[in-house]
Amino acid sequence: MISNILRSARANWHEIFLILFVFATRIPFQTHYLYTWDSVQFALALEKFNLATHQPHPPGYILYIALGKIAAALSADANAGFVAISILAAAVCGVLFFRLAKAFFRDTAFSFLFALALLSLPAVWFYGEVATAYIFDLLFSLAFALCAVRLYETSDKKYLGSFVFLYFLSGGIRQSLLVLFAPLFIFAIGVAITRRLCSRKDSVIGALLGLSAFGIWFVPLLSLAGGWGPYTHITDLLLLRSAQTTSIFAGAPWGATLSQLKLLAKILIAAGSSFFIFIAFAPLFLLHSRMRTTPSHHLWILALWIAPSLFVYGFLHLGQAGYVMTILGALVLLGGIAIVHIPHRNVLLVALIIFHAAFFLGASPTLTRSFQRVSWWYGFFTRTELAKSDSDIGGLVRHAQGVDPRSLVVITERGFRYREKPGAPWIKNTKEYMRHMSYYLPGVDVVELFWKEKKYFRIQNHSKLAFQYGDTIHVPQSVQSLMIVTNTIDYEEIERADLLPRDLPSGKRVYWKDFNDQPEVSYAGYTFVRGK
């Protein structure tokens, strides 16, 4: 038995090394606080799954929540559990990409270094360190492509069965995958039909397999949502609201869609990092008859992999930078078509691995500032950004925990703008703190104010998130201070409201407004009245 294990380890040492590489490079740098607004909603869903209160937000992510619940029970907290899942998913991505690259380039040494280069990409490293589901977009995209390639090249129906099961299962992690990879799935079905790979019995078994994989997560999701009607109502509201501001097909102006296309291009350039140099030259090798070595079915698979995501993110909705993980693997493979023709290509890949790792670990705001003309996101996919987020959230939580929760109201802001000095342009605050503050400070009254339109969220002890309207907010008599958590406040408002800034050890600044025995105080056009 031991000899069999050793023999298997020797035969699969590339995959084992890739897994160990991920563990060695991710675990020491993992985040310790929930990173995004969505991350907090995932954590809240571990306590009570409720789509109506966005725990998590629609369309559900129920399998991701189930995995998180298991991982959180085995680790310190919700964040640690979700991050552990991300690290494991990144390790699987490395193995899948290695095998997919071997199918594309037929060179084991090159494919191994190519997989290390993908794993060292700042965007892949970034999403393998945080409590978000985007790393699964990369994982499933690689799994689907590998199944499609193997099916086409071997005509072995087991790869179709694997594709069917994984495709319908993936919706429990990210339902958008069912839409984005439908063309590639249809391609695989078409291959099976034209080659007559499946008998009627096989087709029935395959259909049952797909239905089972789908039912594993969709039936519990509907049950927890209260049935088909409430589920579709909640989901449609979010999808429509998202698309209305960005898609020409949902009534948004062309300018909004063009802005979204520009944003998509900038995110893709930053996510692809140095590979984008080679991606740009890949068409030359594909068009040059003497250098064209890529089989046509590889190109069809890449096209069906990339095109749907580009259309959806460009013309419908691009919510987060992590969305591009669905096509990052395909873009890197496209760059590999150019790299494979370069002399000393393995040396080049080693250089890229070192460059990517050094950039992710060592890039500072000063260094990334030079890249901002191309894309602000170059500074986003770095360890510095993750460390800053941990430091900011941790510092705010510790600062507020030192105050009697009955005497404090935490104020956060949505859509606010500020000017740094007279005559300066208005700048939009981009960080939203309400979910984090309400999650980590459950006993504190947290109020989220909205810019211009007088409405607000008010939440305590994970209460339901619902709009309240008006510019007068009543707080208990015991409240002594408002703690305003935001990135920056307009210079005029700081003077008008007589705010007291406090610099935290993390470098984060918060602002305080004391009642000083007054019955009410004002901030940003809202009045806070004590006594109710």
Side-chain angles (χ1 to χ4, degrees):
M1 180 179 177
I2 295 177
S3 62
N4 290 336
I5 294 174
L6 292 174
R7 191 179 302 112
S8 178
R10 283 195 296 270
N12 298 286
W13 75 266
H14 296 94
E15 288 89 344
I16 294 171
F17 186 93
L18 290 168
I19 292 170
L20 294 177
F21 175 81
V22 169
F23 291 165
T25 54
R26 270 54 171 182
I27 292 174
F29 306 106
Q30 62 185 299
T31 54
H32 300 287
Y33 287 89
L34 295 162
Y35 181 66
T36 66
W37 175 287
D38 291 347
S39 301
V40 179
Q41 297 185 146
F42 292 143
L44 289 170
L46 300 184
E47 302 173 12
K48 183 179 180 181
F49 192 98
N50 189 336
L51 289 183
T53 58
H54 283 215
Q55 295 181 209
H57 59 288
Y61 311 91
I62 189 168
L63 278 187
Y64 181 67
I65 300 303
L67 291 174
K69 202 169 188 68
I70 296 170
L74 298 173
S75 56
D77 57 22
N79 183 72
F82 281 119
V83 170
I85 294 172
S86 294
I87 293 173
L88 289 172
V92 176
C93 288
V95 173
L96 291 172
F97 188 80
F98 167 63
R99 294 185 176 181
L100 185 57
K102 279 204 302 181
F104 265 68
F105 304 111
R106 312 295 181 185
D107 185 326
T108 299
F110 175 81
S111 299
F112 174 64
L113 292 173
F114 202 25
L116 286 173
L118 173 86
L119 291 174
S120 66
L121 269 177
V124 176
W125 204 328
F126 184 94
Y127 286 112
E129 300 277 23
V130 294
T132 64
Y134 297 124
I135 193 68
F136 282 92
D137 284 351
L138 176 62
L139 186 157
F140 280 110
S141 70
L142 296 173
F144 297 157
L146 183 58
C147 288
V149 170
R150 292 271 176 86
L151 174 66
Y152 190 95
E153 294 179 349
T154 67
S155 293
D156 190 336
K157 61 187 179 185
K158 72 179 181 183
Y159 294 114
L160 177 62
S162 298
F163 199 161
V164 168
F165 181 78
L166 291 172
Y167 176 74
F168 286 104
L169 188 71
S170 69
I173 302 288
R174 297 271 295 164
Q175 289 183 33
S176 57
L177 293 171
L178 297 176
V179 176
L180 299 175
F181 288 91
L184 189 58
F185 180 70
I186 294 170
F187 169 83
I189 297 295
V191 170
I193 292 173
T194 55
R195 296 182 183 180
R196 299 181 179 179
L197 300 181
C198 300
S199 64
R200 288 185 179 180
K201 181 180 177 181
D202 293 329
S203 300
V204 171
I205 292 173
L208 291 174
L209 185 66
L211 285 172
S212 299
F214 186 77
I216 286 172
W217 59 269
F218 192 66
V219 172
L221 180 60
L222 279 187
S223 176
L224 289 169
W228 177 257
Y231 175 73
T232 54
H233 176 70
I234 295 167
T235 303
D236 289 347
L237 280 178
L238 179 64
L239 294 177
L240 181 62
R241 188 168 68 244
S242 300
Q244 281 178 335
T245 59
T246 56
S247 175
I248 54 172
F249 301 109
W254 259 107
T257 300
L258 289 175
S259 296
Q260 183 168 258
L261 286 167
K262 291 177 183 178
L263 177 62
L264 174 60
K266 290 181 178 182
I267 295 173
L268 286 173
I269 290 171
S273 191
S274 58
F275 275 119
F276 244 90
I277 299 171
F278 308 104
I279 293 168
F281 285 100
L284 298 179
F285 293 97
L286 293 173
L287 295 173
H288 197 292
S289 59
R290 293 183 180 180
M291 295 183 180
R292 188 169 59 238
T293 58
T294 306
S296 60
H297 66 277
H298 286 176
L299 298 180
W300 273 110
I301 288 170
L302 286 175
L304 293 172
W305 183 353
I306 295 171
S309 289
L310 287 182
F311 175 78
V312 169
Y313 303 154
F315 294 96
L316 296 180
H317 181 62
L318 176 63
Q320 300 286 340
Y323 282 21
V324 303
M325 297 298 281
T326 56
I327 53 174
L328 185 57
L331 294 175
V332 172
L333 282 170
L334 194 60
I337 293 173
I339 295 174
V340 78
H341 290 92
I342 297 175
H344 308 294
R345 59 193 186 186
N346 288 356
V347 175
L348 173 62
L349 287 177
V350 171
L352 291 179
I353 293 167
I354 295 171
F355 169 74
H356 292 156
F359 187 87
F360 175 78
L361 295 174
S364 64
T366 303
L367 176 64
T368 57
R369 195 172 294 122
S370 59
F371 291 93
Q372 287 182 358
R373 287 188 178 182
V374 179
S375 175
W376 176 85
W377 300 95
Y378 270 114
F380 179 78
F381 297 125
T382 63
R383 172 60 193 159
T384 299
E385 167 65 22
L386 294 179
K388 183 179 184 300
S389 176
D390 264 2
S391 177
D392 285 351
I393 299 299
L396 289 167
V397 170
R398 289 189 293 271
H399 184 63
Q401 285 175 337
V403 181
D404 182 352
R406 295 170 300 178
S407 69
L408 180 66
V409 172
V410 172
I411 305 299
T412 62
E413 300 177 342
R414 177 77 67 89
F416 270 57
R417 290 165 171 77
Y418 67 90
R419 297 162 298 175
E420 295 179 330
K421 58 184 179 180
W426 287 96
I427 302 172
K428 184 177 180 180
N429 268 324
T430 56
K431 184 73 174 180
E432 296 172 351
Y433 290 97
M434 188 269 283
R435 275 297 200 188
H436 287 87
M437 294 297 97
S438 61
Y439 180 81
Y440 286 111
L441 303 169
V444 175
D445 199 356
V446 179
V447 178
E448 171 114 312
L449 306 179
F450 282 74
W451 175 259
K452 290 188 178 179
E453 186 180 359
K454 297 309 177 194
K455 61 181 181 180
Y456 57 93
F457 287 131
R458 189 168 187 170
I459 191 166
Q460 188 178 39
N461 291 317
H462 304 171
S463 58
K464 184 177 179 180
L465 200 63
F467 283 124
Q468 298 186 52
Y469 293 88
D471 57 6
T472 300
I473 302 171
H474 294 277
V475 299
Q477 186 66 39
S478 59
V479 171
Q480 300 296 320
S481 304
L482 307 179
M483 174 179 155
I484 302 161
V485 179
T486 186
N487 279 351
T488 308
I489 297 177
D490 184 65
Y491 77 94
E492 279 190 352
E493 186 60 35
I494 294 175
E495 297 175 0
R496 181 167 46 244
D498 192 23
L499 301 180
L500 176 64
R502 294 186 184 179
D503 293 319
L504 307 184
S506 64
K508 178 71 180 174
R509 171 172 286 186
V510 294
Y511 295 85
W512 285 74
K513 175 68 176 178
D514 295 329
F515 277 83
N516 295 322
D517 296 326
Q518 299 177 63
E520 61 182 54
V521 297
S522 296
Y523 169 69
Y526 291 84
T527 301
F528 296 83
V529 181
R530 292 197 303 176
K532 293 186 180 180

